[in-house]
Amino acid sequence: MPEAGDLTRRPDRRHNGGVSEDIDELSDVDVLGDPDVLGDEWSRRTFNLRQDPLARKTGIAPVATLVSQRDVDPERVGVLHVHGFVDYFFHSHLARPLADAGYQLYGLDLRDCGRSYRPGRPIHSIDSLSRYTEEIDRAVREIARVHGRVVVVGHSTGGLTAALWADARPYLVARGVLAAVVLNSPWLDLRGSWALKNLGSRAVGALGRVAPGVVVTHLAEHYGRALHRSGGGEWDYDLAWKSYDRPPVTAGFVRTVHRAQLRVAQGLDVSCPVLVLASAASGPGDHTHDRLVTSDCVLDVDDMERLAPRIGPDVTFRQIEGGAHDLALSPEPARDRYLAEVIDFLDTRVSRTSPSRA
């Protein structure tokens, strides 16, 4: 039986004459238009989400946060940014070039991440990527009400989540709401040897079933330290929300990610145009070196190239020379190349004609 928020397809809801009740049934009793940490030009709205297992355990309900610019042009196509693991939306530098090209940027902080963290609930904790279905649905509905068309951009774990979400929402493509999906270094497979990907993932998966909270590893600090201004990098994000201090990785998290990756390996059917972008090279992430932010030191770009065609029938794969794991945070000129690829793809593949508002 599918679990709550399952990302599997539901054919009985594909042609219901409108956006599925997965989106339309949700309450609008939310906090609207609060000032945001990005500054006066930005605001945030908080979505109250349904009870999840953590809420039943802690008594604290989950929320998600949609971040938007105060200056919104309905004639632009909406672009929703979905972050990865131990991350949040702070990519305001993308807003101006996207706006100049005719696209309006929004950011979504998923439950228990960034702005959506609530004391008493573990930060960046998730038992299934399908839990994020609810907040992505909510955000897409709100953006579509204004702009008609929506592009979903997912980074790393957010890219994996976005791919499965889009596969489960063909009716949004059919209605013209979901215009395209862009995946920025998506986490499509575990990194490492065949033995680690197969035997190791089975062992951790078994552990994740019975003891999901057991810490099996920690994220290496070197890439995050190289990004952040305190380590000589370019970006001054909030280290409480995007820590490089060896964040723990639990067996339950590895299990849910690997289960999602197996779905990709079996083949998805995302029916809108998909752009998958990766760095031109992978690099080691377990020590400091001079290519930490000019190669992907978190994931294997060969995995992305190999698995990208399994996402759908219309997938374009591009590599960015000198790109970091988060291509949007790459040093120049790689960052400009990344943006140019995204904008060129959208200009070519996304219609400017808006459907009826969601």
Side-chain angles (χ1 to χ4, degrees):
M1 291 290 293
E3 59 185 292
D6 188 29
L7 284 169
T8 55
R9 285 170 167 249
R10 285 175 255 186
D12 57 314
R13 294 184 176 182
R14 290 182 63 177
H15 303 292
N16 64 354
V19 176
S20 161
E21 64 256 41
D22 286 315
I23 295 177
D24 282 348
E25 70 183 6
L26 298 171
S27 168
D28 283 325
V29 183
D30 301 312
V31 178
L32 302 178
D34 288 344
D36 189 66
V37 296
L38 291 177
D40 293 340
E41 295 180 0
W42 294 83
S43 66
R44 71 178 189 273
R45 64 181 67 182
T46 302
F47 297 151
N48 299 311
L49 304 178
R50 300 186 184 103
Q51 293 277 308
D52 62 6
L54 267 176
R56 291 189 285 271
K57 180 179 180 181
T58 65
I60 304 168
V63 300
T65 311
L66 182 64
V67 183
S68 63
Q69 295 167 275
R70 295 189 181 277
D71 179 18
V72 172
D73 183 351
E75 297 305 313
R76 297 173 183 151
V77 175
V79 175
L80 176 65
H81 179 279
V82 181
H83 62 79
F85 180 56
V86 190
D87 210 347
Y88 75 103
F89 175 73
F90 59 94
H91 299 60
S92 57
H93 62 283
L94 303 179
R96 176 48 53 196
L98 285 171
D100 289 345
Y103 304 95
Q104 187 86 43
L105 180 64
Y106 294 78
L108 177 64
D109 278 11
L110 301 166
R111 68 186 68 196
D112 304 317
C113 301
R115 301 164 180 82
S116 304
Y117 169 69
R118 294 296 179 267
R121 291 177 59 97
I123 194 167
H124 298 288
S125 177
I126 195 71
D127 64 334
S128 172
L129 297 186
S130 64
R131 299 282 174 208
Y132 296 138
T133 303
E134 182 181 356
E135 47 257 59
I136 298 175
D137 280 349
R138 292 293 299 274
V140 167
R141 182 189 67 176
E142 294 300 324
I143 297 168
R145 280 178 171 173
V146 177
H147 300 279
R149 312 218 73 189
V150 182
V151 174
V152 175
V153 178
H155 167 59
S156 197
T157 313
L160 174 62
T161 303
L164 269 68
W165 173 85
D167 177 68
R169 297 293 182 262
Y171 53 83
L172 293 181
V173 180
R175 194 180 176 201
V177 173
L178 180 59
V181 171
V182 176
L183 305 180
N184 166 2
S185 303
W187 192 9
L188 302 182
D189 200 358
L190 300 178
R191 187 176 189 180
S193 65
W194 179 92
L196 178 63
K197 290 181 178 182
N198 292 274
L199 302 179
S201 63
R202 292 178 192 172
V204 174
L207 179 62
R209 278 197 304 273
V210 298
V214 171
V215 175
V216 293
T217 187
H218 291 79
L219 294 185
E221 66 181 280
H222 311 288
Y223 165 66
R225 188 180 294 277
L227 281 179
H228 196 264
R229 189 167 297 173
S230 64
E234 187 175 351
W235 308 101
D236 192 20
Y237 49 81
D238 190 330
L239 290 174
W241 291 347
K242 181 179 171 66
S243 173
Y244 58 69
D245 190 18
R246 293 179 53 78
V249 180
T250 65
F253 176 74
V254 175
R255 178 174 181 264
T256 192
V257 166
H258 187 56
R259 291 174 68 193
Q261 291 170 339
L262 290 175
R263 290 272 313 282
V264 175
Q266 292 163 1
L268 304 179
D269 189 22
V270 177
S271 48
C272 64
V274 178
L275 174 63
V276 178
L277 299 114
S279 177
S282 297
D286 59 354
H287 62 273
T288 299
H289 57 88
D290 60 5
R291 298 186 63 237
L292 281 166
V293 295
T294 58
S295 61
D296 194 325
C297 294
V298 178
L299 301 179
D300 190 334
V301 300
D302 290 340
D303 290 336
M304 299 175 213
E305 184 173 18
R306 171 173 56 86
L307 291 165
R310 302 188 193 185
I311 294 171
D314 185 1
V315 179
T316 301
F317 179 76
R318 294 284 185 268
Q319 291 184 273
I320 305 298
E321 187 69 38
H325 170 57
D326 187 342
L327 295 162
L329 304 181
S330 302
E332 297 293 10
R335 185 162 71 245
D336 276 348
R337 285 197 290 265
Y338 164 72
L339 268 169
E341 289 284 359
V342 171
I343 290 170
D344 181 67
F345 174 79
L346 297 181
D347 284 349
T348 303
R349 305 306 307 277
V350 173
S351 169
R352 297 290 178 171
T353 302
S354 294
S356 59
R357 294 296 191 256

